[in-house]
Amino acid sequence: MKTGIQDIDTTIDTALEAGFRHIDTAHAYKNEEAIGKSLKRWFDSGKIKREELFIVTKLPSSGNRAENVEKYLKQSLENLQMTYVDLYLIHQPIGSFPELDSDGNRVLDPNTDHLSIWKAMEAQVDAGRARSIGVSNFNARQVKRVWENARIKPANNQVELNLFFQRKELVAFCKALDVTICAYSPLGAPGMRIRKHKGDPSKIDMPITHPVVLKLAEKYKKTPSQILIRHSIQRGVVVIPKSNNPERLKQNIQVFDFVLSTEDVYELDFLDRGEKGRALQPFGAMSKGRAIAFQRSEPGRQRGFRHHAATSPLARPSTQSNKHPGIQTRFLDIKSDSA
């Protein structure tokens, strides 16, 4: 299901009125222009100022070359009707060629060079087009290589993370480097799981319907989604749960009025299943066809990538204006598909 311009207007309006301030999008989501128009209405009305928002967008995989970084960021800024973004991410660790093959598959670029791309990303900070820069879908080895060679350190790594796929090692590794973790699909992508199994949602094994989560929802008088969101927040993870439903958006931000006990956090921690807990394929499916996957042994080179789209909002202004707002964030997620 595609998110139309009118839907984005409704979602943005509901989110900003509820207190969301962090908006996460990407060139690949094809909704930057609609988001830009929607936000301009708010800016023109005087209800909110640009500096009150934390805007994130991403370099597409087809732009994973040093010479393309500035072009794509300028295009995103034009779409968003802004002069800068607060955080610019390399969306995928592997680049692709713009053209599809004869079978409609995306062809991956084996010569993706993280270090040259990163230097071009740093130049965007120098030019004032990005306040901070980071990565998405990078593993620990890839993060380390960029971090060790960076003049401007990566501020954030946005990855898939949910109750069944808690990524404890990656979270700890990034925290040690002062790289925040932002979780997409933090509810475990229930819509994706239901479509994948084509069964009764009540019988599909997923975080949002797990007995422990339901038990804690009853205990705290909260929704299962709120329990999952709160668990990630208490782990120090930024979360951007997807929802275009106004009522669920309002519920998703109502997670700052309770705290899970140490015992309850431990019980939820114990539900981690590692790689088996992924809701999405490693780097996922492309919007057209499937990526041709391959494995390279060189540092910083991996296979595949995924396509999704998002927005999220801040609870309070960050104390570090050039960094990802971390666990101070309140969150919203607008996606261009129904994952």
Side-chain angles (χ1 to χ4, degrees), residues 18-142:
F20 290 96
R21 294 294 181 269
H22 168 182
I23 298 182
D24 177 286
T25 184
H27 181 279
Y29 307 160
K30 303 186 186 305
N31 61 9
E32 289 176 326
E33 188 173 357
I35 289 171
K37 289 179 180 178
S38 187
L39 290 177
K40 189 175 186 301
R41 287 190 297 105
W42 278 75
F43 297 150
D44 291 345
S45 72
K47 293 180 180 179
I48 202 166
K49 298 178 181 179
R50 167 64 184 90
E51 55 268 27
E52 295 179 70
L53 301 182
F54 191 91
I55 307 297
V56 182
T57 193
K58 307 177 189 72
L59 175 73
S61 60
S62 58
N64 267 13
R65 298 166 192 84
E67 63 271 20
N68 291 338
V69 173
E70 182 173 325
K71 177 185 74 173
Y72 277 104
L73 178 52
K74 284 183 174 179
Q75 185 176 339
S76 289
L77 290 174
E78 181 179 350
N79 290 340
L80 291 166
Q81 301 184 53
M82 295 176 185
T83 58
Y84 71 93
V85 291
D86 297 275
L87 177 63
Y88 194 47
L89 303 177
I90 300 173
H91 202 160
Q92 302 292 346
I94 187 70
S96 68
F97 296 104
E99 304 81 12
L100 303 178
D101 70 7
S102 58
D103 295 322
N105 293 317
R106 189 79 69 174
V107 180
L108 303 183
D109 181 1
N111 297 312
T112 302
D113 182 352
H114 292 161
L115 300 189
S116 66
I117 296 170
W118 192 256
K119 289 184 184 300
M121 296 283 284
E122 292 174 327
Q124 304 314 302
V125 178
D126 295 337
R129 287 184 281 269
R131 295 286 176 88
S132 59
I133 48 180
V135 297
S136 180
N137 297 307
F138 274 47
N139 61 33
R141 182 186 62 173
Q142 293 162 341

Side-chain angles (χ1 to χ4, degrees), residues 242-313:
K242 171 197 169 183
S243 182
N244 298 325
N245 181 293
E247 193 57 39
R248 287 178 189 153
L249 281 175
K250 295 174 184 177
Q251 291 175 354
N252 286 346
I253 204 169
Q254 295 169 358
V255 293
F256 297 95
D257 57 352
F258 76 106
V259 177
L260 297 170
S261 71
T262 302
E263 293 76 14
D264 292 337
V265 168
Y266 178 80
E267 191 171 11
L268 291 169
D269 287 348
F270 194 69
L271 299 178
D272 186 19
R273 301 176 182 178
E275 287 290 328
K276 293 181 180 179
R278 281 185 180 271
L280 309 167
Q281 295 179 357
F283 309 108
M286 295 307 300
S287 55
K288 290 185 178 180
R290 293 287 296 268
I292 297 176
F294 65 94
Q295 182 73 43
R296 293 290 298 252
S297 60
E298 293 89 345
R301 295 181 181 176
Q302 265 294 7
R303 64 174 185 168
F305 58 96
R306 75 184 290 272
H307 166 76
H308 90 129
T311 67
S312 72

Side-chain angles (χ1 to χ4, degrees), residues 99-243:
E99 304 81 12
L100 303 178
D101 70 7
S102 58
D103 295 322
N105 293 317
R106 189 79 69 174
V107 180
L108 303 183
D109 181 1
N111 297 312
T112 302
D113 182 352
H114 292 161
L115 300 189
S116 66
I117 296 170
W118 192 256
K119 289 184 184 300
M121 296 283 284
E122 292 174 327
Q124 304 314 302
V125 178
D126 295 337
R129 287 184 281 269
R131 295 286 176 88
S132 59
I133 48 180
V135 297
S136 180
N137 297 307
F138 274 47
N139 61 33
R141 182 186 62 173
Q142 293 162 341
V143 171
K144 180 182 179 183
R145 185 165 184 252
V146 170
W147 191 92
E148 288 180 336
N149 291 277
R151 173 172 58 86
I152 300 173
K153 303 298 185 184
N156 176 249
N157 186 15
Q158 187 179 121
V159 297
E160 180 189 357
L161 184 151
N162 66 72
L163 183 68
F164 291 169
F165 186 42
Q166 296 183 28
R167 313 196 76 163
K168 294 172 183 175
E169 294 83 2
L170 180 63
V171 171
F173 180 83
C174 287
K175 282 185 178 181
L177 298 181
D178 195 27
V179 176
T180 59
I181 288 285
C182 180
Y184 63 74
S185 300
L187 305 182
M192 178 73 75
R193 292 177 190 267
I194 291 170
R195 288 195 305 279
K196 181 179 179 181
H197 296 284
K198 299 179 181 179
D200 181 349
S202 66
K203 297 180 180 179
I204 296 173
D205 187 24
M206 50 188 175
I208 205 165
T209 57
H210 192 279
V212 172
V213 175
L214 297 179
K215 177 188 70 173
L216 295 180
E218 176 63 25
K219 174 182 176 179
Y220 289 95
K221 306 304 179 186
K222 291 290 183 177
T223 67
S225 296
Q226 289 169 329
I227 296 298
L228 295 174
I229 291 167
R230 184 68 210 180
H231 177 242
S232 290
I233 289 176
Q234 289 185 216
R235 293 182 62 209
V237 173
V238 181
V239 286
I240 47 174
K242 171 197 169 183
S243 182

